[in-house]
Amino acid sequence: MTDHHALARKLTRLVRTYSPNAAAEIEKIHDQYDARAAYFAAFAIERYREESERLAMAGRTRVA
């Protein structure tokens, strides 16, 4: 098990808590490409969510 594989699984579980559809798409990316691609997809989604929440807390935008 590579580091990307373990990290992709961990981030996919995290994403699944608020978006089962996004998690399913990450799993498709993993199946079609590899664990590294799935990791980067999950990381990007999680980073976007964190930044959206941070901005919402600052009153600049609402969370989608």
Side-chain angles (χ1 to χ4, degrees), residues 4-5 8 12 15 21-45:
H4 286 119
H5 185 75
T12 301
V15 168
N21 291 337
E25 293 301 317
I26 294 167
E27 289 169 351
K28 288 180 188 177
I29 290 169
H30 186 278
D31 293 343
Q32 187 171 358
Y33 299 101
D34 60 9
R36 184 173 183 262
Y39 164 72
F40 284 117
F43 181 83
I45 291 169

